[in-house]
Amino acid sequence: MRLLIVNGNSTQAVTQRVVDTARQAASAQTHIEGMTVRFGANLVRSRPEEVLAAHAVLDVLAEAQGSYDAAILAISLDSGLFAARQLFPVPILGMTEASFAVAGLISERFGLITLGSETTPLYRDLLRRYGAETRLAGWEVLELRGTDFLGSASSKDSKEAIIGKVRKLATETDSGVVVLCCAVHAGIASRIREQVPLPVIDGIAAAVMTAEMLARADLAPKYSIPLPGLEVMGVSSALQEVLHAQR
Amino acid sequence: MRLLIVNGNSTQAVTQRVVDTARQAASAQTHIEGMTVRFGANLVRSRPEEVLAAHAVLDVLAEAQGSYDAAILAISLDSGLFAARQLFPVPILGMTEASFAVAGLISERFGLITLGSETTPLYRDLLRRYGAETRLAGWEVLELRGTDFLGSASSKDSKEAIIGKVRKLATETDSGVVVLCCAVHAGIASRIREQVPLPVIDGIAAAVMTAEMLARADLAPKYSIPLPGLEVMGVSSALQEVLHAQR
Amino acid sequence: MRLLIVNGNSTQAVTQRVVDTARQAASAQTHIEGMTVRFGANLVRSRPEEVLAAHAVLDVLAEAQGSYDAAILAISLDSGLFAARQLFPVPILGMTEASFAVAGLISERFGLITLGSETTPLYRDLLRRYGAETRLAGWEVLELRGTDFLGSASSKDSKEAIIGKVRKLATETDSGVVVLCCAVHAGIASRIREQVPLPVIDGIAAAVMTAEMLARADLAPKYSIPLPGLEVMGVSSALQEVLHAQR
Amino acid sequence: MRLLIVNGNSTQAVTQRVVDTARQAASAQTHIEGMTVRFGANLVRSRPEEVLAAHAVLDVLAEAQGSYDAAILAISLDSGLFAARQLFPVPILGMTEASFAVAGLISERFGLITLGSETTPLYRDLLRRYGAETRLAGWEVLELRGTDFLGSASSKDSKEAIIGKVRKLATETDSGVVVLCCAVHAGIASRIREQVPLPVIDGIAAAVMTAEMLARADLAPKYSIPLPGLEVMGVSSALQEVLHAQR
Amino acid sequence: MRLLIVNGNSTQAVTQRVVDTARQAASAQTHIEGMTVRFGANLVRSRPEEVLAAHAVLDVLAEAQGSYDAAILAISLDSGLFAARQLFPVPILGMTEASFAVAGLISERFGLITLGSETTPLYRDLLRRYGAETRLAGWEVLELRGTDFLGSASSKDSKEAIIGKVRKLATETDSGVVVLCCAVHAGIASRIREQVPLPVIDGIAAAVMTAEMLARADLAPKYSIPLPGLEVMGVSSALQEVLHAQR
Amino acid sequence: MRLLIVNGNSTQAVTQRVVDTARQAASAQTHIEGMTVRFGANLVRSRPEEVLAAHAVLDVLAEAQGSYDAAILAISLDSGLFAARQLFPVPILGMTEASFAVAGLISERFGLITLGSETTPLYRDLLRRYGAETRLAGWEVLELRGTDFLGSASSKDSKEAIIGKVRKLATETDSGVVVLCCAVHAGIASRIREQVPLPVIDGIAAAVMTAEMLARADLAPKYSIPLPGLEVMGVSSALQEVLHAQR
């Protein structure tokens, strides 16, 4: 299977990080490529940047169409996810939706770790949209330090902070598993595995696993949304073509 | 007050229609201008088009910044509304949020008329986001006919259909007022006034009224979202500038 | 427009205060009169007093019918609001419903400041009734001091306490605006404006603004509640007459 | 035990009916008296009349205080119930709250029969207030015929209609029991017992049973609501006295 | 009335305790017998033990069928309650459902005291299943000490801890009554009565009161669940017979 | 991987059917064995049978412990699922939880087909427990015919009925995918694939896919439920041992 990872943040280094993590999580038969959005924020943290990211991931998915059998949105706000599913006839997975789904299959209730209190309102929306509120046992927020987001996220300090948050969720809540959000945290879950009392779900790994599962099962969604008379202008010709096609 | 109306659909004729309706609803001191998005769908009806519209309205609002004291998004899905409020230091109103707010001040419960069953999932999101579910007494969906959206919406047939839906809501539900959605319906509410048993709220008129109210009260939101290190690329320079500014 | 303000608390001095505040908020064309309920509690703080207040405001509204084009209930529990709307063919506004509506048009989420923890269960009801729970970002309760409610509420100490609460909501929650409840707080929001980091909504001002908006738009509710055989006894003749009329 | 039944509707004949029904349901040791409100509607069916009823039942309860060990509000909207509990140190029961409680102890889900679609919004409030929404299996509405409410409610036609509704709920929903609302229906449940496939709960009987249970268990609520400085005017001296007392 | 108390925990001493408490709460005409489950955990505290308890109480109820007119499940998780009601044509009461019902008839909101944080997820389910979430004012958890559950629960230390929790709920929440859960706490509520500011509901007493009430009212549920072709094997012959009978 | 399928219904032929279906869905490396519960109903359809099934699946899982690396409960009510996860240190999957999770990853909203209206209350519980209510677009119920459940479910009539229900959900709701419940329907989804306009999820296949995914990711839950003093009696020695072990 050819799996495309679309980084919704415009930082190339994050693309590399998530691709590396995805390759570790993937099975041998899965071929993984990464692409970075052509416009938008270096790290999406609030509503306006998310608006751009949603457009930007559709733009990349359209551009690359035909070159992948499934795709992952490497942006933990899952920006553009439901829209993408209506446009592309292959499985499209979001990091956080996939993480919640996997967490739910493991344990009755899960703990959540997010990055940056400015993103809290957006994750709150995701919890509601995915019906995950009743299964959320606890929520811890890490704060961003400095502006080297990727470096900071993979620093020893950050690793220690995450370990501390997992332990807190294990002690103070009835979480049976923990979801660690944010693309810049890709790969950390597997590195702290021995030091924490609960399994920790990596959003990229969860998305890869679920993408492989869906691709193998041949369960792509079928939409039949009648949009006669639709005309779209001012976007990339690839995206325009996809939008003008029958859904 | 200078009030900007941003049509989130890329159809110029709709811009003209909503501007005309807005001018009728506005007080003498309000100066109204209309702008059409520079990219996106001629009529936004499903998630992918909505993704584009959200970006496109921010693009216009940034471009025109400084030329308006308040703005209205002329797209009944209120695409980009919460994002816009975080970027621009003036009141920004959405047609549907404004309509629900006005309806709630008039009656305990309201009826809803929307256009095109393909948009139903998006209105369902709005009802939940605005906390309007408990006050919704009934919901009727009109179907689009043909591809001349504007012509069709203001046809005699369409007017009759809307009147029928209002009467149905009056008879079969405990609606005390009706919200008529969709930008292409702008201006119809006032024309059917004498023929229906309930007051009907025009989204454009509701947005104008609430914009005038907020502008006069000098009650623009203040956000303090710390986004150090944010870098945005690939969008219009006006939008980039707004995004890079302190929030 | 002739706007009647009905103080649901039986304290004349509060009537004066809310009328003064309303006049400052109103436009030049609005003529404001205040009336105090003829029975009930000096300050309504719990369910039994609220029961009286609901009856008492209907009593005043009936008594004064014909002398006003819109009315405001100056009691932040909005006692009798939905009942009043079914009886009188003009816009009737409640301080708290109007405040929540205005807050929602300004910001995604709002903070709430109420007076007296004994009133908490009643405000909880209002949040649910108005569908405002999902938009509430934080809630702070001020405690009443002494029995000179009006004097205390407008004291320097009280002003400082309110400023402190607004700052707390700005720092610890994602409120973009704050609603300050209770009739005895009328007029304070505008006086602390320069000292707080968020816009603060005055319930009386919100009610005046929305009343002017609705009156101008000519959007009074129409009810058709069939109550054949209804006979009401033992209330004022004005109220009896209103109740016996067709709805 | 001395049990007072306060008819919240101002119709004496209804008082007689509910007292007769209560006496049949009560145990030998229970002494039952009935009182009718001194003001308000002959049959409460919508919000304005309910506002009066809430005041009127407090008025009667205060007037008669000392003469009863528990009280029942004979009005199926339970008007004034929560307020009364804060004022009087004895068990106070509402017909509908008691019915829902008894229904819940019998079956996982229950069916509801109410009288007059104009009262639907008020019952909807009760379902939410009592947390009974998740246990409601079905809801049937009978319409009032003519203006002889009591005569009509106990007519053969009405009895047949109720039997039909119970059968419908038994067939089409997973109701294990049915709640029959409205004071004018008092006594009907026991008369149709042999003709229906589900147990039917009479609101008056449910209130009597639960009142006897609570009185015997000596489980009156204790409130400690501090209301220093409260002054109430313009109500009956008995009610004023109760309101001025410590809670 | 012959009232059977089925202890869902396999500890005989607990059966004795709940029977003693039940006899104190019961009226003179009620004859009470206790039975202990034939398999399962000595004290049910988490989901796996609850699964056994649900089966075990059905087993006892079937074995004893014909010897009782109503039954109480003496296990505060109400394990098997809804299932039992579908099998046996007499009132079946659960401690916690009965407690919530009684609490709701006394006060608008109640406080909850449970035993052992490991049981918290199960009580959370009960609150939701019974629709009691909106009426819950506060929740305190006592921790089990040692393994002599019954001795510990009735120790002086435990009594003091419970009194402390009731006082805390009275001071910090708007509880008007408190529900004290867990079968091992049977009988404690009446012993601390004079030392606490709120009425405390004993689960066993609540179940006895409500069982007497329902038995007297002759309001057993009627189910008509068509299960043609049902064959059950490997359970006690009494239970098999009950399951094979028409429902 | 060794995958155990535990049929929660006591019908051997159903075990064979689900094992066959599982083997078709599984990858080559997965070795599948089936076991049937040792007691309980031939087909679980209502609460009492479900109580037995929950115990019975724990019984089999304990008996077979050590012989499997993951397990699936072949009973679409997922009876005993959350309890099993607390007892066994390997992934345990339920048909319906897995189906909802897979459906959610494919489409914003899904349709549901269940078998036998008598099971409706139990599926309603599952929808709420899994937070799937907001994503449910429509629900169709097939009725059981005759008592040869397995034969009937795989008959031509039944296949036609299922195809009809899928088409109905595609036409009348915004389902992007359909979940087909009930163990006796195992294998049907793949056989009707070409005749329906939406992907249909087979519960057994969904459970196999998710079990393989979790097993490979090595993401078993870790619980730390302290249950000092727990003693269990009267169950199989294997189950007793598991229950007595540390969790």
Side-chain angles (χ1 to χ4, degrees), chain C residues 58-100:
Chain C
L58 298 187
D59 172 79
V60 171
L61 287 168
E63 198 65 30
Q65 202 179 2
S67 74
Y68 55 93
D69 305 308
I72 287 173
L73 308 187
I75 172 166
S76 65
L77 302 170
D78 293 356
S79 315
L81 179 63
F82 285 176
R85 285 202 184 126
Q86 293 186 3
L87 288 181
F88 304 100
V90 298
I92 314 274
L93 281 302
M95 291 173 65
T96 297
E97 192 193 36
S99 296
F100 290 175

Side-chain angles (χ1 to χ4, degrees), chain A residues 108-109 134 174, chain E residues 47 121 124 128:
Chain A
E108 187 177 332
R109 306 222 314 152
T134 58
D174 59 333
Chain E
R47 294 209 184 277
R124 203 186 292 125
R128 197 181 308 160

Side-chain angles (χ1 to χ4, degrees), chain C:
Chain C
M1 179 187 62
R2 300 165 302 163
L3 177 59
L4 175 65
I5 305 197
V6 181
N7 179 12
N9 308 286
S10 63
T11 306
Q12 291 280 354
V14 171
T15 311
Q16 194 52 50
R17 171 80 53 92
V18 297
V19 165
D20 291 348
T21 303
R23 285 181 180 147
Q24 285 186 329
S27 64
Q29 303 88 313
T30 301
H31 178 76
I32 288 171
E33 287 297 328
M35 290 181 77
T36 310
V37 289
R38 302 196 293 193
F39 55 88
N42 52 347
L43 188 69
V44 172
R45 283 173 287 169
S46 75
R47 294 208 184 279
E49 294 93 65
E50 222 234 331
V51 161
L52 302 181
H55 179 184
V57 301
L58 298 187
D59 172 79
V60 171
L61 287 168
E63 198 65 30
Q65 202 179 2
S67 74
Y68 55 93
D69 305 308
I72 287 173
L73 308 187
I75 172 166
S76 65
L77 302 170
D78 293 356
S79 315
L81 179 63
F82 285 176
R85 285 202 184 126
Q86 293 186 3
L87 288 181
F88 304 100
V90 298
I92 314 274
L93 281 302
M95 291 173 65
T96 297
E97 192 193 36
S99 296
F100 290 175
V102 169
L105 294 170
I106 292 176
S107 173
E108 187 178 331
R109 307 223 314 151
F110 69 88
L112 182 66
I113 300 176
T114 58
L115 183 61
S117 53
E118 63 274 20
T119 60
T120 294
L122 293 104
Y123 285 113
R124 204 187 291 126
D125 284 2
L126 293 188
L127 284 161
R128 197 180 309 161
R129 187 186 304 159
Y130 299 148
E133 289 164 314
T134 58
R135 302 193 73 170
L136 182 72
W139 183 349
E140 294 292 320
V141 180
L142 292 163
E143 294 304 338
L144 274 166
R145 275 171 287 193
T147 58
D148 171 17
F149 305 131
L150 199 62
S152 169
S154 52
S155 68
K156 193 159 163 298
D157 274 7
S158 173
K159 219 179 85 174
E160 288 306 314
I162 291 169
I163 290 169
K165 294 295 195 189
V166 177
R167 288 180 181 157
K168 187 159 181 245
L169 288 164
T171 310
E172 298 179 5
T173 76
D174 58 334
S175 306
V177 62
V178 169
V179 170
L180 176 60
C181 283
C182 199
V184 299
H185 285 145
I188 291 182
S190 64
R191 290 207 296 279
I192 62 172
R193 190 183 185 104
E194 304 304 319
Q195 292 155 275
V196 289
L198 290 175
V200 177
I201 295 178
D202 183 299
I204 291 295
V208 168
M209 292 190 300
T210 49
E212 290 182 336
M213 178 178 78
L214 294 185
R216 200 175 132 239
D218 199 7
L219 279 170
K222 293 182 198 166
Y223 284 91
S224 63
I225 303 177
L227 295 167
L230 175 66
E231 285 172 33
V232 179
M233 52 156 286
V235 298
S236 79
S237 58
L239 183 51
Q240 190 185 38
E241 198 175 312
V242 169
L243 284 156
H244 283 169
Q246 279 298 72
R247 270 173 247 168

Side-chain angles (χ1 to χ4, degrees), chain A residues 222, chain F residues 113 154-171 178 180 187-200:
Chain A
K222 294 182 198 166
Chain F
I113 300 176
S154 50
S155 69
K156 192 159 164 296
D157 274 6
S158 173
K159 219 178 84 173
E160 288 306 313
I162 291 169
I163 290 168
K165 295 294 194 188
V166 176
R167 287 179 182 159
K168 188 161 181 242
L169 289 164
T171 309
V178 169
L180 175 60
I188 292 182
S190 64
R191 290 207 294 280
I192 62 172
R193 191 183 184 104
E194 304 305 318
Q195 293 155 274
V196 289
L198 290 175
V200 177

Side-chain angles (χ1 to χ4, degrees), chain F residues 100 110-120 123-124 127 136-144 160-175 177-182 185 198:
Chain F
F100 290 176
F110 69 88
L112 181 66
I113 300 176
T114 59
L115 182 61
S117 53
E118 62 274 20
T119 60
T120 294
Y123 285 112
R124 204 188 290 124
L127 285 161
L136 182 71
W139 182 350
E140 293 293 320
V141 180
L142 293 163
E143 295 303 341
L144 274 166
E160 288 306 313
I162 291 169
I163 290 168
K165 295 294 194 188
V166 176
R167 287 179 182 159
K168 188 161 181 242
L169 289 164
T171 309
E172 298 179 6
T173 75
D174 58 333
S175 305
V177 63
V178 169
V179 170
L180 175 60
C181 284
C182 200
H185 285 145
L198 290 175

Side-chain angles (χ1 to χ4, degrees), chain B residues 47 121 124 128, chain F residues 108-109 134 174:
Chain B
R47 296 207 183 279
R124 203 187 292 125
R128 198 182 308 163
Chain F
E108 186 177 333
R109 307 219 318 148
T134 58
D174 58 333

